[in-house]
Amino acid sequence: MSKSRTNDSPPTVDMAKIVWASARYDFWLDLNSVPRRQRKALRSELRSNLTEAATDVGAQAALKNLGSVRTLAGEITRAGELRSRWLAGWVAAFLTVTVLMVTFLVLTLYYTEGVLDAGASEPVTSSLFPYFGSEVVVDPSGGGLAWIIGPGPMPLLAAIVVWLLVAKPWRSIGYRNFSYSGRISPRS
């Protein structure tokens, strides 16, 4: 028994495979710093080409003929100029500051434990390694515990360095609009 379809669209399972390939393609284009508007156009072009090929030869064969979407995204973006990865730089810088601040707070707690174990009764001031310029004051006097902490410039400087290494802002100097005028076609 064969089913007759009223439209020429592939079955739902094949469409899911095409949508998944399109999402992976968009991911690799994003990692190659293709702007959102161009990614959307390239993604819809790939989806329509795969849908058309899937109605002729099936989604499995169309995806096999296409090859790696990672390689395809790389080939597409090599035609454009290299751009900075601004968002990736900001995320990496934020994570760097967060990790360094949490580490500083953990080291402060260990330092406080050492001060309390030593039986100090007056305020104790020190700097924590490797946080140059940091200051930690632990005051166990007065029947309680008080802290004055300052991590110094290290978290901020580390975040700037990480941002520079990840974003590579020098790539955007002389940047012109990324454009691709061609048709995506499966490998022969």
Side-chain angles (χ1 to χ4, degrees):
M1 286 175 113
S2 67
K3 294 181 182 178
S4 63
R5 293 189 305 224
T6 58
N7 58 4
D8 288 338
S9 65
T12 306
V13 173
D14 289 347
M15 279 307 294
K17 290 177 184 179
I18 291 170
V19 167
W20 177 241
S22 173
R24 290 180 310 172
Y25 181 61
D26 183 57
F27 172 75
W28 289 114
L29 287 173
D30 188 24
L31 284 182
N32 284 312
S33 301
V34 175
R36 183 181 307 187
R37 190 171 290 151
Q38 281 81 17
R39 277 198 333 259
K40 184 177 178 183
L42 290 169
R43 186 179 62 235
S44 65
E45 184 179 359
L46 176 74
R47 187 178 294 174
S48 66
N49 288 346
L50 283 176
T51 303
E52 184 180 318
T55 57
D56 293 339
V57 296
Q60 194 70 22
L63 289 170
K64 185 178 180 185
N65 289 338
L66 178 68
S68 168
V69 291
R70 180 180 183 179
T71 305
L72 179 63
E75 289 172 0
I76 295 288
T77 56
R78 279 190 208 105
E81 295 184 26
L82 294 175
R83 292 189 52 226
S84 299
R85 298 185 214 173
W86 298 104
L87 182 60
W90 288 116
V91 169
F94 176 75
L95 288 174
T96 300
V97 167
T98 303
V99 167
L100 288 175
M101 291 304 293
V102 168
T103 305
F104 179 75
L105 292 174
V106 168
L107 289 174
T108 300
L109 290 175
Y110 280 126
Y111 177 74
T112 302
E113 184 180 9
V115 168
L116 294 176
D117 286 347
S121 58
E122 295 191 16
V124 178
T125 303
S126 181
S127 177
L128 294 178
F129 178 79
Y131 294 85
F132 58 89
S134 66
E135 181 184 26
V136 177
V137 178
V138 179
D139 187 3
S141 63
L145 184 61
W147 287 286
I148 299 173
I149 60 173
M154 188 183 124
L156 180 61
L157 292 176
I160 291 170
V161 168
V162 167
W163 181 80
L164 283 171
L165 291 174
V166 173
K168 300 177 185 171
W170 55 86
R171 293 170 105 184
S172 292
I173 297 173
Y175 170 71
R176 291 169 186 68
N177 287 333
F178 178 90
S179 62
Y180 173 74
S181 57
R183 181 158 168 82
I184 299 172
S185 60
R187 289 188 298 165
S188 297

